[in-house]
Amino acid sequence: MTLDFADRVERVEPSATLAISNLASELEAEGKDVVDLSVGEPDFPTPDNVVEAGKAAMDAGHTGYTSSNGIRELRAAIAEKLRGNGLDADADEIIVTPGGKQALYEVINTLIDGGDEVVLLDPAWVSYEAMVKLAGGSLSRVDLSPYEFQLEPALDDLAEAVSDDTELLVVNSPSNPTGAVYSDTALEGVRDLAVEHDITVISDEIYERIVYGVEQTSLGSLEGMGDRTITINGFSKAFSMTGWRLGYFHAPEALVSQAGKLHSHSVSCAVNFVQHAGVEALSSATDNAVEEMRVAFAERRDMLVELLADHGVDVPVGDGAFYMMLPVDDDDQAWCEGAIEDAQVATVPGSAFNAPGYARISYAASEERLREAVDRLAENGYL
Ligand code: PMP
Ligand code: GLU
């Protein structure tokens, strides 16, 4: 039997980040000791009180479907959290999703079809491109690498890339894969262009809580951005809840009612007891756990920068998230394959983020494992 696959699925590749981490897991299953710096996943347990809240919700029988957009208690808590970010947010403008990824998927598919133009700032996280292609959009890309991945000096390039034909711009600060946190001046520059050309902007703020010595600004809080910004966030990174699958988006109510159709016809709702755990995660009871993780990531970043400098490698240092772009050979794919085979160190090729010549390191790993990774890369001639 011949299976005739849909064009939209055939035009995308599997997620490169997940593919490498799957490969690392396979090698580990074969008994190899792999230092896995590929997938972006905090290496801390979910805070105890959140786990307890999830268990208690299960025991209390919160195991059925919820209202499609999410339980009101959680949407209200999210709206309150977003008001703290300076957004004018209401519970009815939020959809709770199984992960931030699903939130992005729903928003992109609600806004984009038939060649609509979407602008990405490169390097950009793998799944934006795939989601836009799945939706049938066309991509226009702004390369930030000549500016050490900062947006500010690239505003002229962004101005060149956008026009009245641009439907959507995706901004991700703190950034995956560079760790860049855009300054207010840079975000105001984005705002001016978005307003001038009447562009809708997705602000993916999933790494919001992971910043070092700088403040993250929510794009939707800037004047003129409230009704054109869709804010994406989630629980995976801030609360080390990747496997719970919980995220959300905030958008104007008209978009929420359109996206709600996609949501209700696909996932129905996010998992009931997980949503209850989400309410606990957003309470101040997790502040210490979140801060401990943030401090640990900051120390690891600084240590890694020093270790690489000892080997004569300079890396652009971002002020957020837990990623770093390591300059490698032009053929970054071959470099990453070699590094995993010869040194058993897993990283993601920069090409996956449209940044050839780099490998992305996730430093959400213990200091010991990070040292081990640098030693192995150096011993095998990769640094
Ligand atoms: N946005 C970015 C930039 C990410 O790196 C991720 C990675 N997981 C997500 C969104 C989605 O995360 P999740 O689905 O786990 O909430
Ligand atoms: N976002 C993380 C990463 O880039 C997790 C994997 C994924 O969802 O792509 O590694």
Side-chain angles (χ1 to χ4, degrees):
M1 185 196 152
T2 317
L3 293 170
D4 186 14
F5 299 114
D7 289 347
R8 68 174 174 282
V9 174
E10 289 198 306
R11 27 177 203 261
V12 301
E13 298 295 324
S15 164
T17 46
L18 299 181
I20 308 259
S21 115
N22 290 348
L23 175 63
S25 306
E26 274 167 33
L27 291 172
E28 273 166 357
E30 286 168 19
K32 302 226 166 80
D33 171 33
V34 180
V35 185
D36 187 1
L37 309 182
S38 64
V39 76
E41 173 162 46
D43 57 324
F44 294 92
T46 302
D48 284 346
N49 56 312
V50 177
V51 174
E52 289 310 318
K55 288 184 190 165
M58 257 194 253
D59 288 341
H62 295 300
T63 53
Y65 295 127
T66 69
S67 71
S68 184
N69 288 1
I71 58 173
R72 178 147 284 275
E73 202 186 348
L74 179 57
R75 282 186 293 124
I78 291 168
E80 194 188 332
K81 178 246 172 297
L82 291 176
R83 285 195 291 275
N85 291 67
L87 266 60
D88 184 12
D90 185 84
D92 292 330
E93 298 161 342
I94 287 157
I95 296 188
V96 177
T97 51
K101 213 179 227 179
Q102 175 70 16
L104 282 160
Y105 188 82
E106 290 176 11
V107 169
I108 289 174
N109 277 283
T110 300
L111 290 171
I112 300 303
D113 59 8
D116 287 343
E117 184 188 282
V118 182
V119 175
L120 298 183
L121 299 161
D122 280 333
W125 178 49
V126 274
S127 293
Y128 300 138
E129 172 180 330
M131 290 184 198
V132 171
K133 284 186 176 166
L134 281 165
S138 77
L139 285 157
S140 166
R141 320 191 64 136
V142 178
D143 184 7
L144 303 185
S145 51
Y147 312 104
E148 291 228 318
F149 309 127
Q150 288 303 313
L151 176 58
E152 204 158 355
L155 280 172
D156 287 347
D157 297 10
L158 179 60
E160 286 280 307
V162 296
S163 72
D164 291 353
D165 291 333
T166 306
E167 188 76 27
L168 184 66
L169 167 67
V170 182
V171 175
N172 171 218
S173 170
S175 154
N176 176 5
T178 69
V181 182
Y182 302 139
S183 71
D184 284 359
T185 315
L187 293 176
E188 282 158 14
V190 170
R191 183 263 319 272
D192 293 347
L193 290 168
V195 170
E196 181 187 341
H197 298 290
D198 195 19
I199 300 168
T200 304
V201 184
I202 287 182
S203 182
D204 180 347
E205 303 183 1
I206 196 123
Y207 297 98
E208 171 203 5
R209 303 284 291 260
I210 309 169
V211 287
Y212 318 120
V214 292
E215 297 256 320
Q216 185 264 4
T217 296
S218 283
L219 193 55
S221 70
L222 300 189
E223 204 189 326
M225 290 306 285
D227 60 352
R228 64 174 69 254
T229 305
I230 298 141
T231 304
I232 310 276
N233 210 326
F235 295 73
S236 287
K237 317 290 169 166
F239 306 106
S240 198
M241 290 176 71
T242 47
W244 295 70
R245 311 308 301 129
L246 191 64
Y248 57 88
F249 67 88
H250 170 261
E253 242 180 298
L255 200 156
V256 165
S257 67
Q258 292 298 319
K261 295 190 258 178
L262 262 179
H263 186 73
S264 65
H265 285 304
S266 54
V267 296
S268 298
C269 61
V271 175
N272 191 337
F273 47 84
V274 169
Q275 294 188 53
H276 286 272
V279 174
E280 176 69 17
L282 287 178
S283 75
S284 57
T286 48
D287 286 355
N288 282 348
V290 170
E291 181 58 10
E292 270 171 34
M293 289 190 258
R294 193 194 66 80
V295 169
F297 292 139
E299 287 169 1
R300 293 164 185 190
R301 176 194 66 163
D302 294 346
M303 186 197 82
L304 194 54
V305 171
E306 260 179 47
L307 289 176
L308 291 169
D310 291 345
H311 291 282
V313 183
D314 270 343
V315 284
V317 185
D319 289 321
F322 35 64
Y323 304 110
M324 195 175 279
M325 291 295 263
L326 179 69
V328 297
D329 299 348
D330 287 349
D331 189 347
D332 51 287
Q333 186 79 36
W335 188 94
C336 289
E337 278 165 21
I340 195 165
E341 267 164 35
D342 304 338
Q344 268 98 58
V345 175
T347 57
V348 184
S351 303
F353 310 96
N354 223 25
Y358 291 89
R360 188 194 75 175
I361 294 179
S362 163
Y363 53 85
S366 70
E367 293 196 1
E368 189 198 346
R369 293 304 273 170
L370 289 169
R371 277 181 204 285
E372 174 76 25
V374 173
D375 287 348
R376 287 193 201 174
L377 288 174
E379 277 160 22
N380 288 277
Y382 286 86
L383 291 180

